[in-house]
């Protein structure tokens, strides 16, 4: 289990934290999709707060949110045409 009070976590701990395979974390790391720290000798560390921030930036809106936004845009465009 990953300790909640650690600021930096290893690749294996990150896989556990995200609930994904270790190979998927390696892939994200290799393609620089995640912020990481590499102090040398193939060591890779991830800052938990930066991983959490990365996760929140990749949010996908629900269908309801998209629909509401579209309705608002249509309303505003019609209102501006009057």
């Amino acid at each position: 289990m990953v300790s909640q009070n650690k600021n930096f976590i290893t690749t294996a701990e990150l896989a556990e934290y995200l609930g994904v395979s270790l190979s998927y974390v390696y892939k994200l790391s290799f393609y620089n999709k995640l912020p990481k720290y590499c102090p040398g000798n193939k060591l890779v560390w991830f800052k938990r707060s930066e991983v959490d921030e990365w996760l929140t930036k990749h949010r996908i809106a629900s269908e309801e949110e998209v629909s509401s936004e579209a309705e608002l845009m249509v309303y505003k465009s019609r209102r501006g045409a009057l």
Side-chain angles (χ1 to χ4, degrees), residues 64-75:
E64 184 178 316
E65 291 171 319
V66 172
S67 179
S68 294
E69 183 66 25
E71 288 177 16
L72 182 60
M73 290 175 68
V74 168
Y75 173 77

Side-chain angles (χ1 to χ4, degrees), residues 2-82:
V2 179
S3 173
Q4 294 297 322
N5 61 359
K6 286 178 64 176
N7 290 328
F8 288 89
I9 56 178
T10 65
T11 306
E13 291 170 329
L14 179 60
E16 181 183 334
Y17 182 66
L18 295 177
V20 298
S21 68
L22 189 56
S23 63
Y24 184 64
V25 172
Y26 284 133
K27 184 177 181 178
L28 291 173
S29 176
F30 178 79
Y31 289 109
N32 295 319
K33 299 292 184 180
L34 283 168
K36 63 185 176 187
Y37 297 85
C38 302
N41 295 334
K42 298 185 182 181
L43 291 175
V44 179
W45 293 90
F46 301 90
K47 193 171 187 179
R48 183 188 304 273
S49 62
E50 292 176 351
V51 170
D52 290 340
E53 186 178 322
W54 173 81
L55 281 171
T56 59
K57 286 182 181 178
H58 289 84
R59 181 180 182 276
I60 298 173
S62 69
E63 287 184 25
E64 184 178 316
E65 291 171 319
V66 172
S67 179
S68 294
E69 183 66 25
E71 288 177 16
L72 182 60
M73 290 175 68
V74 168
Y75 173 77
K76 286 182 177 179
S77 68
R78 287 183 182 163
R79 192 168 176 220
L82 296 178

